[in-house]
Amino acid sequence: MILIQDLSHRIGAFHLDGISLEIPTGRYAVLMGKTGSGKTTLLEILCGLKPVQSGRIFLMERDVTFLKPAHRGIGYVPQDGALFPSMTVHDHLAFALRVRKWDTAAIEKRVGELAGVLGITHLLGRRPHGLSGGEAQRAALGRALAFHPRILLLDEPLSALDEETRRDMYQLILSVRRQYNITALHVTHNWQEAITLGDCVFILKDGRIAPCGPHDIPASRNNMCGSPADYGTPPFSPVGPPLEKDR
Amino acid sequence: MIHNVPPAARAKSDIPFLFCLWVIGAVYVVLILAMLAADATFTSPGHLWDALKSPEIQYAIQLSLLSCTFTTILSLWVSVPIGYLMSHYQFPGKKWIDAVLDIPIVLPPLVIGLSLLILFQTRAGRWIESYVPVTYEIPSVILAQFMVACAFSVRAMGAAFGQLNPRREQVALTLGCSRAQAFWWVVLPETRRGLLTAGTLAWARSLGEFGPILVFAGATRMKTEVLPTTVFLELSVGNIEAAVAVSLLMVAAAMIVLVVVRLYGMEPSMGRFFHP
């Protein structure tokens, strides 16, 4: 469960005011809003990368408001993947496990399993500069999932991908959800992405979460909170075959 | 139907512009090569061999290699933390500290030597000298080289850390790293080219340093004599052939360093040394 209570953050003219939201365990929530509305800042505060000025954050019933990022147990996938240039994909998947001093056999087992789930077994020896955008995001997702986090935060992970790769990634994320029963908060500008992946949608507008029920299931655009202009990009018609979704 | 493009709208040839750039660049490159060629034709392999056999010059080569290497290690040891702190954190007085770090770059080298000499005549300096003799001894050579070389190294490391994507370090923190682990395993491997550049700059600056060494360490043969000191001493007694021979040795050393940097500076696998 992700529970944010009355969270505020201010830097100069930018502000987040009284943010409160709750994402029950196992739910996949989507956060939308215009560029500069504070979506990334909210994720960084959840990760512990930016300090909380007021309010509380609970992750899986644990108050993590003042905990360091390392102790929050969050898997974080940033927009550009932020892969480490000197490491191979294998090193990325093993990174959090080596930090936690897992033994080599356990690391290799976990890396093999994860690479199989993400379809990147053939890429394990490659470095980031040899990966396509979709492959890089799979590696970034694998790195975030390797240590079995209960919470996953994704910051526009698919925004730089072409339509076909993005649809592949939808399937992958849905499959990962099914397999790991993870609680997730996914930031996006793309309402098709929100409809496809999300159980519930929050809109961040003017430094606040738009007043709407937090668990509305967006079966269509009309069921989502706020107006289309609040999502950040003009809506478009989904194309291609319907995607498999585990509801 | 085909329309003729009006003459004014046609793209002008890029040749005159590129020609100017090539000429300006070529003049400088030719000047450098001409300088080296003049040195090479002034001396002969015999002079070079005689210079290498001289015990004074052998000592100067040894001391130069040793002091430059020690200075480089010392410079990196200091410039990595300073570069990281200055590029990652905002604090009161940062601009002033930034300006202070540039002082050794803008000060005339002789003034640096003189300032070091005066520093070691103060009460604190004399106290240090009572335990470790510095002035006119080998430590003064290293300290004089370090004062200048480290400033260049700090600039190089500041630029290297400043170019990093901070998101990678942040991701490492969320993956369970402490700040120190993220630094060693993620940040430092990413700056390997910056490290190599900073180390090369420090080494090359140390090798060519003369002014502060002359004032602070003196020019005593077989004691505080480094290669630039040898060139100065040989010139002062009119032995130009030996001076040129030593100069060519320094050119060769500089070329070797540059080639090593070009060859290995781009090697991504160097980062593996730092991984968890």
Side-chain angles (χ1 to χ4, degrees):
Chain A
M1 180 195 71
I2 300 173
L3 176 63
I4 303 175
Q5 291 179 338
D6 205 23
L7 184 88
S8 295
H9 186 83
R10 185 175 289 272
I11 304 172
F14 173 80
H15 61 94
L16 291 173
D17 283 328
I19 302 283
S20 293
L21 60 82
E22 182 182 349
I23 303 164
T25 302
R27 287 291 191 124
Y28 198 102
V30 175
L31 180 65
M32 300 185 82
K34 286 181 177 174
T35 301
S37 61
K39 305 182 296 296
T40 297
T41 303
L42 184 58
L43 287 201
E44 287 174 343
I45 293 172
L46 280 173
C47 284
L49 300 170
K50 280 199 162 89
V52 173
Q53 291 170 351
S54 68
R56 313 293 289 182
I57 299 170
F58 296 86
L59 300 177
M60 311 311 286
E61 282 86 38
R62 193 166 61 115
D63 186 350
V64 300
T65 311
F66 301 107
L67 283 188
K68 288 184 174 175
H71 302 133
R72 296 194 179 200
I74 289 175
Y76 175 48
V77 182
Q79 187 173 2
D80 57 358
L83 295 178
F84 309 137
S86 60
M87 295 188 200
T88 61
V89 172
H90 180 283
D91 292 334
H92 279 86
L93 300 192
F95 186 86
L97 311 178
R98 287 179 180 155
V99 170
R100 285 166 175 75
K101 301 193 187 307
W102 282 32
D103 65 70
T104 310
I107 290 175
E108 292 308 317
K109 188 175 172 221
R110 176 64 178 151
V111 167
E113 177 213 339
L114 208 49
V117 170
L118 298 170
I120 52 174
T121 307
H122 61 296
L123 303 173
L124 286 175
R126 286 209 206 153
R127 291 179 201 284
H129 61 80
L131 301 176
S132 68
E135 290 168 346
Q137 285 301 18
R138 282 168 190 254
L141 185 60
R143 177 181 61 183
L145 291 170
F147 65 101
H148 298 291
R150 307 282 303 278
I151 308 277
L152 184 64
L153 303 181
L154 305 101
D155 189 3
E156 299 186 43
L158 313 181
S159 62
L161 304 182
D162 61 76
E163 195 53 38
E164 195 182 335
T165 311
R166 188 181 294 197
R167 293 182 71 82
D168 287 346
M169 287 298 288
Y170 291 167
Q171 294 288 10
L172 179 71
I173 291 172
L174 291 171
S175 150
V176 164
R177 271 198 64 184
R178 249 196 321 269
Q179 206 147 344
Y180 296 115
N181 188 34
I182 217 158
T183 307
L185 181 58
H186 178 126
V187 165
T188 183
H189 283 293
N190 185 316
W191 72 270
Q192 188 194 18
E193 201 170 305
I195 290 171
T196 308
L197 300 172
D199 295 325
C200 51
V201 173
F202 299 96
I203 307 296
L204 193 57
K205 188 181 177 188
D206 301 326
R208 292 175 175 276
I209 295 288
C212 60
H215 307 130
D216 298 345
I217 297 174
S220 73
R221 205 186 97 205
N222 295 334
N223 287 358
M224 295 171 74
C225 304
S227 68
D230 294 331
Y231 305 148
T233 50
F236 59 91
S237 299
V239 290
L243 290 155
E244 185 193 346
K245 193 168 179 183
D246 63 331
R247 291 233 171 82
Chain B
M1 185 180 170
I2 298 169
H3 296 278
N4 286 330
V5 179
R10 284 181 199 153
K12 287 182 180 172
S13 169
D14 291 335
I15 292 174
F17 171 70
L18 291 173
F19 180 75
C20 288
L21 298 188
W22 276 105
V23 167
I24 293 168
V27 166
Y28 186 58
V29 172
V30 166
L31 193 62
I32 295 171
L33 293 175
M35 247 169 35
L36 298 180
D39 281 350
T41 52
F42 193 83
T43 188
S44 65
H47 283 135
L48 208 59
W49 184 243
D50 288 343
L52 282 172
K53 278 198 298 187
S54 153
E56 289 86 1
I57 292 177
Q58 283 180 4
Y59 179 86
I61 292 171
Q62 283 174 18
L63 183 59
S64 281
L65 293 178
L66 207 71
S67 62
C68 289
T69 306
F70 199 77
T71 300
T72 302
I73 294 167
L74 209 58
S75 296
L76 288 178
W77 188 61
V78 172
S79 62
V80 166
I82 293 179
Y84 180 75
L85 291 172
M86 295 297 286
S87 62
H88 272 63
Y89 293 96
Q90 298 299 326
F91 50 86
K94 184 179 173 181
K95 283 183 180 171
W96 288 102
I97 292 177
D98 204 37
V100 168
L101 290 169
D102 275 342
I103 287 176
I105 294 174
V106 296
L107 268 188
L110 280 174
V111 176
I112 291 176
L114 183 65
S115 306
L116 282 170
L117 198 61
I118 294 169
L119 176 67
F120 277 85
Q121 295 309 310
T122 59
R123 186 177 290 180
R126 282 184 187 162
W127 181 80
I128 293 169
E129 292 259 26
S130 68
Y131 292 97
V132 186
V134 178
T135 313
Y136 300 124
E137 301 288 344
I138 289 175
S140 64
V141 174
I142 293 167
L143 192 55
Q145 289 176 340
F146 169 77
M147 286 310 295
V148 180
C150 190
F152 286 92
S153 188
V154 164
R155 282 287 150 241
M157 285 317 300
F161 283 121
Q163 286 169 0
L164 295 185
N165 176 1
R167 192 65 79 196
R168 295 190 185 120
E169 187 179 0
Q170 292 173 343
V171 168
L173 295 176
T174 66
L175 291 171
C177 285
S178 65
R179 185 69 70 174
Q181 286 171 325
F183 178 81
W184 286 110
W185 294 339
V186 174
V187 177
L188 209 54
E190 275 200 64
T191 57
R192 61 188 181 275
R193 288 180 190 171
L195 277 169
L196 206 61
T197 306
T200 311
L201 267 175
W203 200 88
R205 285 295 314 186
S206 309
L207 186 70
E209 212 53 65
F210 174 62
I213 294 175
L214 183 69
V215 177
F216 187 43
T220 315
R221 292 223 105 144
M222 305 292 281
K223 191 177 180 188
T224 56
E225 182 185 0
V226 284
L227 286 173
T229 319
T230 308
V231 175
F232 171 73
L233 291 174
E234 297 295 347
L235 270 177
S236 63
V237 296
N239 190 359
I240 297 176
E241 289 81 5
V244 172
V246 174
S247 304
L248 284 175
L249 281 177
M250 292 172 67
V251 169
M255 292 299 289
I256 289 169
V257 169
L258 288 174
V259 168
V260 167
V261 170
R262 295 288 188 280
L263 283 179
Y264 296 104
M266 309 298 169
E267 182 51 64
S269 61
M270 282 179 71
R272 295 188 68 84
F273 293 119
F274 299 95
H275 292 174

